[in-house]
């Protein structure tokens, strides 16, 4: 009430307030009414001026409010796009299998939509239009994908995007191939200025109704005559609105110069806000990265997070082999990942030719783009002349690497006598994504037992005494085993030191296991047989014994490629082979090594990864491949767990000083730690 009085005092003068009822028809003092001669009341000038001033103030406030509305989003270009009115509502049926959701209603079939009557104008060459952005055909297809659970941040949606017709021709075959696997809901969105109809685009690229891909037209109206700024802004806003309906786990675009320059910029700007993974496919994507279509969306979203370092420990008298290894690494294909960091541990003595080679060795090679001018190469030269003991050599090796992020950083250990094929790095990333990061791997918890991935196929057992025959792989549909089987993929508890990737989690656990084992050995009166007895030949470095013990006590295993695949990945040359430094003075081992290495060498063959792998490049699930125990005997996966339990009891009792009858001093198992195996060290 008080506010109303103040407002009245602002609008009316004092005289007006005092005489506000003077104009009412009141009876005269003698009871008669006033005469009928009426005169209009004149509004005092002061009152009119105040009312006019109030109107101007209100108008100014409204104007300032309209032109300063807060931005509803991190970027002013993320305001909701304009769509023509659309009839019909998105379906609300239960979620179907991926194949049933791949063909949403055709926008042209919706009568009453503005998209049916308005066509994209042709490119007249005059790009001057910069009006409001309207998407004529995007709303219908986005509303029709509700069954893919696109509103959830975690789903199975994968988006291929292109603005150039050449780029579309590159990506569409891969999109159809991925859709055929029925692991993902695959989408293709067309941006840019082209006026081609989506149906015509499909026809030109040989895409029929069997291609399980959902198409989206993300081109704005008047695309052909739009300014460069408008077409780029439209692409950015298109990605933002697609994300609201789809939440793609990964966006795949053409990374070659065939693509319009504005599309990568729009994608990168969108990714900074949405955090979506982006994969830029190279020009030869079908050949070098065709295997990417076999991965699910969960694995693909970790594409840019995985980091693989390379560790090379050069032994004395093996520096000559190092040059061959580095040349093969330099010639490999790294289109699937960032350039790996290489660490080379050099001995005290290096021959002059190796020194000259290292001085001129360029990493990364000049053929690979390096905009930041980084040189991810570390050389470490030893000072001491003294020969290392087993314990010292193992310690030096394990201290050469530490993962920055346990779940995403991994290390590839290469012997200087090894030579890798061009596709070795793509193979490692493919297997990591499928067997460590995919939805299937998470469901079966394969990462818990995955110690590493080998590039080579050993032909003898770890003790070097007998040939190793890998367990035969039988097709899952061959129930009776009449197919004969092949030696392609298999699991083996035994580690290798020539060419093997060790996952970051297991490297950290191995680090802790080695440290506690050395500490526990100092507390024991006598070294137990489990530590003094060597299960691995002295042809291999001493650190491999620790890796084997951890694999046996935990039930871990390595993925081996088999003979047919290994010859396309890596080989180990024997003509210049030298023993590990800690065993170099053992003459018996030197004679045995020369004799065995003279015949054990495989010639590398260069093929694309898809052509190299069996089953048309599709990896078999680990539950279907055979398993070998550490000694080479074929066993069941359940036998591995049983053997691991027995070996754990033995190890904890003899090395860890744990009492099997009591829980006193025993610790709970922790991720990345071996403390539960030792009761005698903290």
């Amino acid at each position: 009430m008080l506010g109303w009085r103040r407002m009245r005092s602002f609008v009316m003068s004092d005289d007006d307030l005092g005489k506000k009822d003077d104009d009412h028809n009141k009876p005269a003092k003698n009871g008669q009414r006033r005469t009928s001669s009426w005169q209009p009341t004149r509004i005092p000038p002061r009152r009119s001026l105040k009312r006019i001033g109030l109107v101007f103030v209100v108008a100014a406030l409204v104007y300032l409010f309209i032109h300063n509305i807060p931005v509803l989003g991190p970027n002013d270009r993320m305001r909701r796009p304009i769509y023509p009115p659309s009839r019909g509502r998105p379906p609300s049926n239960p979620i179907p299998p991926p194949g049933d959701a791949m063909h949403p209603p055709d926008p042209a079939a919706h009568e009453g939509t503005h998209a049916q009557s308005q066509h994209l104008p042709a490119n007249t060459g005059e790009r001057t239009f910069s009006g409001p952005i309207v998407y004529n055909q995007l709303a219908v297809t986005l509303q029709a994908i509700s069954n893919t659970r696109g509103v959830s941040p975690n789903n199975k949606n994968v988006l291929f995007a292109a603005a150039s017709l050449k780029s579309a021709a590159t990506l569409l075959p891969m999109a159809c191939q991925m859709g055929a696997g029925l692991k993902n809901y695959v989408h293709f969105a067309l941006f840019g200025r082209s006026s081609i109809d989506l149906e015509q685009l499909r026809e030109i690229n040989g895409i029929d109704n069997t291609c399980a891909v959902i198409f989206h037209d993300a081109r704005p109206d008047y695309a052909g005559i739009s300014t460069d700024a408008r077409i780029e802004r439209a692409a950015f806003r298109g990605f933002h609105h697609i994300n609201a309906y789809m939440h793609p786990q990964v966006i795949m675009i053409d990374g070659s110069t065939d693509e319009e320059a504005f599309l990568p910029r729009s994608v990168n700007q969108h990714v900074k806000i949405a955090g979506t993974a982006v994969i830029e496919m190279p020009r030869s994507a079908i050949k070098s990265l065709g295997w990417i279509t076999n991965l699910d969306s969960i694995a693909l979203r970790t594409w840019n997070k995985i980091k693989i370092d390379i560790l090379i420990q050069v032994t004395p008298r093996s520096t000559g082999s190092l040059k061959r290894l580095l040349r093969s690494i330099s010639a490999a294909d790294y289109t699937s990942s960032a350039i790996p960091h290489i660490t080379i541990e050099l001995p005290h003595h290096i021959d002059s030719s190796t020194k000259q080679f290292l001085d001129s060795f360029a990493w990364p090679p000049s053929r690979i783009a390096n905009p930041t001018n980084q040189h991810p190469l570390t050389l470490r030269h030893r000072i001491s002349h003294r020969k290392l003991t087993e314990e010292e050599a193992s310690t030096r090796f394990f201290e050469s690497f530490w993962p920055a992020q346990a779940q995403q950083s991994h290390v590839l250990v290469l012997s200087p006598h090894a030579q890798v094929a061009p596709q070795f790095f793509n193979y490692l990333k493919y297997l990591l994504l499928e067997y460590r990061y995919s939805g299937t791997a998470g469901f079966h918890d394969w990462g818990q037992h995955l110690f590493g991935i080998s590039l080579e196929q050993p032909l003898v057992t770890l003790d070097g005494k007998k040939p190793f025959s890998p367990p035969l792989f039988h097709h899952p549909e061959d129930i009776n085993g009449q197919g004969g089987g092949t030696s392609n993929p298999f699991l083996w508890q035994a580690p290798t030191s020539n060419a093997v990737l060790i996952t970051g989690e297991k490297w950290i656990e191995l680090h802790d296991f080695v440290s506690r084992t050395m500490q526990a050995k100092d507390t024991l009166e006598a070294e137990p047989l489990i530590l003094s007895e060597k299960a691995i030949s002295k042809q291999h470095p001493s650190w491999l014994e620790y890796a084997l013990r951890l694999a046996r006590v935990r039930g871990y295993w390595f993925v081996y490629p088999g003979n047919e695949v290994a010859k396309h990945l890596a080989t180990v040359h024997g003509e210049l082979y030298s023993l590990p430094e800690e065993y170099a003075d053992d003459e018996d081992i030197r004679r045995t090594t020369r004799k065995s290495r003279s015949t054990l060498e495989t010639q590398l063959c260069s093929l694309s990864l898809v052509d190299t792998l069996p089953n048309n490049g599709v990896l078999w699930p680990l539950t279907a491949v055979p398993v070998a125990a550490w000694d080479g005997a074929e066993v069941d996966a359940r036998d591995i767990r049983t053997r691991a339990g027995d070996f754990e009891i033995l190890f904890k009792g003899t090395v860890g000083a744990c009492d099997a009858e009591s829980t006193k001093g025993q610790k709970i198992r922790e991720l990345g730690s071996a403390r539960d195996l030792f009761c005698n060290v903290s």
Side-chain angles (χ1 to χ4, degrees), residues 10 61 79 135 138 159 225 288 312 321 337 368 417 439 450 494 503 521 523 555 573 631 643 681:
F10 177 79
L61 291 175
R79 297 175 185 170
Y135 299 95
L138 187 57
L159 175 64
I225 60 174
S288 61
I312 305 171
S321 301
S337 183
I368 299 177
H417 306 288
L450 179 62
T503 63
K521 190 192 301 185
T523 65
H573 295 276
D631 55 2
R643 294 187 179 200
V681 296

Side-chain angles (χ1 to χ4, degrees), residues 1 3-13 17 20:
M1 191 66 182
W4 168 243
R5 290 176 179 175
R6 290 177 177 174
M7 181 61 71
R8 291 177 60 197
S9 66
F10 177 79
V11 177
M12 301 180 182
S13 63
L17 292 174
K20 62 182 180 296

Side-chain angles (χ1 to χ4, degrees), residues 173 184 369:
N184 308 305

Side-chain angles (χ1 to χ4, degrees), residues 159-162 171 239 251-256 259 263-264 267-268 278-282:
L159 175 64
F160 289 79
L171 297 178
F239 279 115
I251 300 175
M252 305 180 72
I253 63 174
D254 181 10
S256 71
E259 185 56 273
L263 189 72
V267 171
N268 292 330
V278 176
I279 302 177
E280 297 189 21
M281 308 298 291

Side-chain angles (χ1 to χ4, degrees), residues 380-391:
R380 294 177 178 173
H381 182 240
R382 212 170 96 205
I383 296 177
S384 175
H385 292 259
R386 184 176 58 86
K387 191 188 85 168
L388 299 178
T389 64
E390 291 185 2
E391 188 170 297

Side-chain angles (χ1 to χ4, degrees), residues 355-551:
K355 289 181 180 179
Q356 294 175 2
F357 177 81
L358 292 175
D359 288 341
S360 60
F361 180 68
W363 185 254
S366 58
R367 61 183 174 81
I368 299 177
N370 186 20
T372 58
N373 199 28
Q374 294 182 349
H375 299 282
L377 175 66
T378 300
L379 300 178
R380 294 177 178 173
H381 182 240
R382 212 170 96 205
I383 296 177
S384 175
H385 292 259
R386 184 176 58 86
K387 191 188 85 168
L388 299 178
T389 64
E390 291 185 2
E391 188 170 297
E392 291 172 341
S394 299
T395 301
R396 180 169 177 258
F397 171 77
F398 287 118
E399 290 177 349
S400 300
F401 171 77
W402 184 258
Q405 294 178 310
Q407 296 185 354
Q408 299 168 359
S409 299
H410 315 283
V411 60
L412 172 63
V413 179
L414 291 176
S415 164
H417 306 288
Q419 180 183 358
V420 294
Q423 291 295 325
F424 88 94
F425 205 76
N426 291 337
Y427 174 81
L428 290 175
K429 185 156 188 178
Y430 184 21
L431 265 66
L432 268 177
L433 288 170
E434 178 64 25
Y435 292 148
R436 172 62 184 85
Y437 298 101
S438 68
T440 305
F443 178 80
H444 292 285
D445 202 11
W446 290 337
Q448 179 181 354
H449 300 281
L450 179 62
F451 203 144
I453 301 170
S454 175
L455 292 175
E456 68 147 350
Q457 175 57 61
L459 301 179
V460 296
T461 56
L462 284 176
D463 56 11
K465 297 179 180 179
K466 58 183 178 180
F468 172 64
S469 299
L472 296 179
F473 171 77
H474 295 277
H475 195 283
E477 297 180 359
D478 184 15
I479 301 177
N480 298 323
Q482 299 177 354
T486 62
S487 61
N488 282 320
F490 70 98
L491 304 177
W492 194 12
Q493 271 196 298
T496 176
S497 61
N498 292 319
V500 61
L501 179 141
I502 300 177
T503 63
E505 304 104 320
K506 299 305 184 289
W507 183 273
I508 291 177
E509 185 177 3
L510 182 58
H511 232 265
D512 189 62
F513 178 77
V514 173
S515 174
R516 294 180 185 275
T517 300
M518 293 179 178
Q519 186 179 359
K521 190 192 301 185
D522 295 337
T523 65
L524 300 174
E525 296 181 358
E527 186 176 10
L529 184 63
I530 196 174
L531 295 181
S532 60
E533 185 179 31
K534 289 191 66 64
I536 299 179
S537 168
K538 291 183 179 180
Q539 299 178 31
H540 304 284
S542 57
W543 65 265
L544 215 59
E545 286 281 356
Y546 292 101
L548 176 61
R549 292 184 192 125
L550 181 61

Side-chain angles (χ1 to χ4, degrees), residues 324-332 334 412 414 418-425 455 498-499 568-571 573 604:
R324 178 177 50 202
L325 172 61
L326 291 179
R327 288 192 186 101
S328 67
I329 293 175
S330 183
Y334 299 99
L412 172 63
L414 291 176
Q419 180 183 358
V420 294
Q423 291 295 325
F424 88 94
F425 205 76
L455 292 175
N498 292 319
H568 301 287
L569 300 175
T571 188
H573 295 276
L604 287 178

